[in-house]
Amino acid sequence: MTPRFSDDPRAALKALPKAELHVHLEGFMDLEAWAQMTQRQASWTPQRQLEMEGHFAFKTFPFFLKCFGAVIFSFEGPEDFYQLTQRALSQLIEQGVVYAEVMLTPAFFVNRGIDFFDLMAEIHRAAKEVADRIELKLIFDGARNFGPESVAQNFKLAAQDRTGLVIGAGLGGDEANFPARLFKDQFDWAKAQGLRLTCHAGEAAGEGSMIEAVELLGADRLGHALGLVPGSRAEALVLERQVTLDLCPHSNLTTGVISSLKVHPLPSYLLRGYRVTLNSDDPGFFGSNLLDQYFWAAEDLGLDWEVLKGLARSSFEGSFLSPAQRQIWLDSPALQG
């Protein structure tokens, strides 16, 4: 029986079926898990531990990107991805997540000599072990910082997937210095392959970044999407095209993109009628998971149970599931009025 929200908000939120749409597989690696992985690889030393702790002391978005890079370049073989996927899915299940579209940038690992098909097989192996509790899909996320050729490589790998896990293509990284318009050809190609499209936009750049992501790249979803102004062209695009905004409040706070959770636009976005979802982005790096986002919205913002259920419904409505699969979750009693 689902707990009453007024009696135990966190338990009720955990029992609420949810999808997570903006989270990186690599982002489930926290400092402890990173040390465990290097110990399995026999590459751990006390000095390396100090270096890892230094990386995780980031306070700004550019330094977060450096920490993220240090972590991902520590993977040595396909078995590392089996362990990481097990970790990610067990944590998501514990939060009441039943469907997840998880981002991964495989070119980083393939270019370091890890076989793509072996890597995917290990992720698939971990996903099959808990397929009765959570459905996993992957979005191959190109890194802007490495240029159009790197993004194209990630998208071409998506088209080679044999597991059926890859559902979409995306773009992350430094949007201020690598604008979306540089990657139009790559997104056109991905769309022609039948991949669904998402894009980090409005995380560290303004409305212009979001406009390019929607108009030039054809993104169905925007990750972060901070700074939408009422009456602006960007708002008109979001509303007219029913673009889903995948919000990551605690991520924005930890990377210094916003100064306080009190200034996060979630409440105003709801009032303006945008379709928004809550997401964790990189829970291992930020120390805050998806359930924490919902609990923050309930406790700190004072959103009532119906609004919170609406956020959970939006997570399925904005997903890349087929209409029939999406409707199964939307019709579930837990998400009804």
Side-chain angles (χ1 to χ4, degrees):
M1 182 176 178
T2 302
R4 288 179 56 193
F5 181 65
S6 58
D7 294 338
D8 191 342
R10 194 170 184 90
L13 289 167
K14 178 180 175 180
L16 187 65
K18 297 174 290 297
E20 175 138 32
L21 305 181
H22 188 109
V23 63
H24 297 263
L25 183 61
E26 304 96 326
F28 283 92
M29 186 74 76
D30 60 15
L31 183 58
E32 179 184 1
W34 194 14
Q36 290 173 352
M37 183 176 77
T38 60
Q39 288 167 9
R40 288 196 305 270
Q41 298 167 344
S43 58
W44 182 91
T45 65
Q47 178 60 36
R48 185 165 190 185
Q49 178 74 27
L50 291 174
E51 293 172 355
M52 291 190 290
E53 290 172 2
H55 280 300
F56 266 87
F58 61 86
K59 297 291 184 182
T60 66
F61 184 66
F63 280 101
F64 158 69
L65 291 179
K66 288 185 177 180
C67 178
F68 194 83
V71 169
I72 63 177
F73 287 117
S74 298
F75 288 82
E76 291 186 352
E79 64 281 357
D80 292 332
F81 293 88
Y82 172 74
Q83 300 286 343
L84 181 59
T85 305
Q86 275 194 322
R87 179 183 182 83
L89 293 176
S90 66
Q91 291 182 6
L92 290 168
I93 290 168
E94 182 61 28
Q95 299 163 54
V97 177
V98 296
Y99 175 74
E101 293 177 1
V102 177
M103 288 176 278
L104 175 68
T105 307
F108 287 147
F109 312 110
V110 172
N111 291 342
R112 296 181 63 243
I114 299 176
D115 183 84
F116 172 69
F117 298 107
D118 290 345
L119 180 158
M120 290 298 297
E122 290 299 284
I123 294 174
H124 196 208
R125 178 162 71 101
K128 288 189 293 185
E129 291 174 350
V130 290
D132 60 331
R133 303 180 67 188
I134 185 171
E135 181 178 1
L136 172 68
K137 291 295 183 182
L138 295 177
I139 293 172
F140 279 7
D141 192 52
R144 303 168 185 261
N145 316 45
F146 292 81
E149 290 186 5
S150 176
V151 171
Q153 182 187 9
N154 280 286
F155 292 178
K156 288 175 182 177
L157 289 170
Q160 296 175 42
D161 171 49
R162 299 171 182 169
T163 66
L165 290 176
V166 182
I167 197 171
L171 187 67
D174 182 358
E175 64 180 304
N177 293 305
F178 298 87
R181 59 182 172 273
L182 300 177
F183 306 95
K184 184 179 185 308
D185 290 346
Q186 289 71 35
F187 270 73
D188 287 345
W189 186 88
K191 185 175 183 180
Q193 309 309 306
L195 295 167
R196 301 296 301 275
L197 306 176
T198 183
C199 185
H200 291 62
E203 180 179 18
E207 284 191 316
S209 176
M210 291 184 264
I211 290 170
E212 286 193 3
V214 176
E215 283 194 329
L216 298 182
L217 303 189
D220 299 305
R221 294 205 310 257
L222 299 179
H224 299 283
L226 300 173
L228 278 171
V229 177
S232 66
R233 181 178 165 206
E235 180 188 66
L237 279 172
V238 165
L239 292 173
E240 289 169 11
R241 302 196 185 186
Q242 295 185 305
V243 176
T244 298
L245 309 179
D246 293 336
L247 306 182
C248 310
H250 284 78
S251 165
N252 302 144
L253 177 68
T254 309
T255 60
V257 174
I258 58 173
S259 59
S260 166
L261 287 172
K262 294 179 181 179
V263 303
H264 193 276
L266 172 61
S268 62
Y269 282 11
L270 289 170
L271 289 173
R272 293 183 221 162
Y274 306 161
R275 178 191 287 160
V276 300
T277 68
L278 285 175
N279 306 273
S280 65
D281 197 9
D282 297 288
F285 288 81
F286 304 136
S288 181
N289 60 33
L290 180 61
L291 185 57
D292 293 330
Q293 311 307 303
Y294 275 84
F295 191 67
W296 162 76
E299 292 293 291
D300 289 23
L301 299 183
L303 301 187
D304 66 27
W305 182 235
E306 291 306 313
V307 175
L308 294 163
K309 278 202 300 185
L311 286 168
R313 287 181 61 85
S314 291
S315 71
F316 294 102
E317 291 168 344
S319 75
F320 294 155
L321 284 164
S322 70
Q325 292 173 305
R326 189 183 305 134
Q327 199 60 46
I328 290 172
W329 284 112
L330 293 173
D331 289 340
S332 64
L335 293 177
Q336 297 304 304

